């Protein structure tokens, strides 16, 4: 329980600093967008490039990763179908909601939680790889297809090829697979840039909490609470079922897969929503609510599964 609270406390402090900065407006009127763009175009690509480049492919692929991957894709797909068919949302807005229901905070929360609660960061690093290589490009492709150039295959390919997140991930994966090590003259500057990722995302999130909320009517709240229930309750339950009764994983591996699935919605979701100007209220509220709700859920899972 203490480890869970400790990991969440680190994030809460930075978010509160962002709220204070937003309320006092010391960073200016466009601070949130600037921070989000810094994260999207500089910090997060550098972080993902290094995370992938420094990983060992043989340690990444495991049974807990298989469970995490299946769980993530099922949650993304089910929410997306519900949003498009029953809720009548367009593909871009449905993607933001589907990300909120499936994209876990594996970086700034998952890594410290894994270190404190699970005693290893290998599994969460593997999840970062999967989300970076599969889930993010999948969502970006769908959002791009919903734009004005959605009918052009060439436009969609150009959108993916010029997306800094995908470019950074592709370079990092290529370095990992080939075993090429970056020289210190390149690695160290990238480390400094990567250090921008988490604080800029959290500061921007804190500013968003005290800024204009925009349209958030009763109808859109249905999407929000559907995403929250999927993320906080349904996703860890599905991971547990798959790990224990479908794949027959060991108790330790089952616990790892379940805890990872119970992580809240990724803070990076806010950056994507802001950059693409779609579903910003849903992204902001989903990350806040799932972060608060996941504290007792993860603590309960850790207690019940003997972590």
């Amino acid at each position: 329980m203490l480890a869970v609270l400790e990991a969440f406390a680190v994030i809460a402090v930075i978010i509160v600093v962002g709220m204070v900065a937003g309320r006092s407006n010391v960073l200016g009127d466009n601070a949130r967008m600037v921070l989000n763009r810094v994260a999207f175009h500089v910090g997060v690509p550098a972080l993902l490039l290094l995370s992938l480049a420094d990983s060992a492919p043989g340690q990444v692929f495991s049974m807990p990763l298989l469970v995490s991957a299946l769980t993530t894709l099922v949650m993304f797909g089910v929410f997306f179908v519900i949003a498009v068919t029953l809720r009548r949302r367009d593909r871009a807005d449905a993607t933001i909601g589907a990300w909120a229901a499936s994209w876990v905070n594996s970086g700034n929360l998952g890594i410290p939680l894994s270190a404190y609660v699970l005693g290893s960061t290998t599994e969460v690093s593997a999840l970062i790889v999967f989300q970076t290589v599969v889930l993010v490009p999948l969502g970006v492709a769908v959002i791009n297809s919903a734009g004005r150039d959605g009918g052009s295959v060439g436009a969609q390919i150009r959108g993916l090829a010029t997306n800094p997140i995908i470019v950074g991930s592709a370079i990092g994966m290529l370095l990992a697979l080939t075993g090429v090590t970056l020289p210190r003259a390149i690695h160290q500057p990238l480390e400094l840039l990567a250090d921008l990722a988490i604080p800029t995302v959290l500061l921007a999130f804190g500013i968003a909490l005290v800024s204009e909320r925009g349209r958030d009517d009763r109808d859109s709240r249905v999407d929000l609470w559907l995403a929250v229930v999927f993320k906080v309750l349904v996703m860890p339950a599905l991971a547990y079922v798959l790990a224990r009764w479908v794949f027959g994983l060991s108790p330790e591996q089952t616990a790892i897969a379940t805890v990872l699935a119970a992580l809240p919605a990724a803070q990076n979701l806010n950056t994507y929503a802001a950059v693409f100007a779609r579903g910003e209220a849903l992204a902001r509220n989903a990350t806040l609510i799932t972060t608060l709700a996941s504290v007792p859920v993860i603590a309960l899972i850790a207690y019940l599964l003997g972590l």
Side-chain angles (χ1 to χ4, degrees):
M1 171 68 82
L2 182 60
V4 175
L5 296 178
E6 201 172 308
F8 278 97
V10 173
I11 292 176
V13 169
I14 303 177
I15 291 175
V16 169
V17 171
M19 294 174 66
V20 172
R23 180 66 69 183
S24 59
N25 200 34
V26 295
L27 300 181
D29 295 333
N30 297 321
R32 182 170 69 92
M33 180 55 68
V34 171
L35 288 170
N36 276 317
R37 290 189 178 277
V38 169
F40 184 84
H41 292 282
V42 181
V44 174
L47 176 62
L48 295 175
L49 191 157
L50 291 182
S51 297
L52 292 170
D54 295 341
S55 65
Q59 296 177 338
V60 167
F61 303 102
S62 62
M63 290 304 294
L65 173 61
L66 176 60
V67 172
S68 296
L70 288 176
T71 304
T72 299
L73 291 176
V74 169
M75 290 294 96
F76 183 94
V78 171
F79 186 97
F80 185 85
V81 170
I82 292 175
V84 170
T85 59
L86 300 181
R87 305 291 302 151
R88 303 297 182 185
R89 305 305 185 200
D90 67 24
R91 294 194 302 275
D93 288 332
T95 298
I96 298 298
W99 266 339
S102 62
W103 186 0
V104 306
N105 192 337
S106 53
N108 54 316
L109 182 56
I111 288 177
L113 262 181
S114 296
Y116 291 133
V117 179
L118 304 178
S120 169
T121 60
T122 300
E123 292 80 8
V124 73
S125 297
L127 184 55
I128 292 175
V129 172
F130 167 76
Q131 293 186 150
T132 301
V133 174
V134 178
L135 188 64
V136 172
L138 173 63
V140 170
V142 176
I143 292 175
N144 284 338
S145 73
R148 283 179 290 182
D149 295 326
S152 169
V153 175
Q156 294 183 41
I157 294 175
R158 284 194 299 273
L160 291 174
T162 57
N163 183 288
I165 302 289
I166 296 176
V167 172
S169 302
I171 295 173
M173 180 59 72
L174 180 62
L175 293 173
L177 293 175
T178 58
V180 175
T181 301
L182 291 172
R184 288 175 59 85
I186 297 177
H187 198 284
Q188 288 186 333
L190 285 175
E191 286 180 353
L192 291 176
L193 294 176
D195 288 341
L196 290 169
I198 293 174
T200 51
V201 169
L202 294 177
L203 287 172
F205 180 60
I207 294 173
L209 292 178
V210 296
S211 63
E212 282 294 324
R213 289 186 171 270
R215 185 175 179 271
D216 187 19
D217 57 24
R218 185 183 302 275
D219 188 51
S220 64
R221 286 200 292 269
V222 175
D223 298 333
L224 168 64
W225 288 108
L226 182 63
V228 169
V229 171
F230 268 44
K231 181 71 221 59
V232 176
L233 299 178
V234 179
M235 190 167 177
L238 177 60
Y240 180 82
V241 170
L242 289 176
R244 180 172 181 180
W245 288 304
V246 176
F247 294 101
L249 301 190
S250 67
E252 180 182 0
Q253 290 179 318
T254 299
I256 289 172
T258 307
V259 168
L260 292 180
L263 290 168
Q267 297 289 342
N268 286 344
L269 173 61
N270 291 279
T271 298
Y272 280 85
V275 170
F276 288 111
R278 303 303 291 263
E280 293 186 63
L282 173 60
R284 179 187 62 244
N285 294 331
T287 50
L288 174 62
I289 296 172
T290 57
T291 298
L292 295 175
S294 64
V295 177
V297 171
I298 293 176
L300 179 62
I301 291 173
Y303 173 75
L304 293 176
L305 299 184
L307 293 175

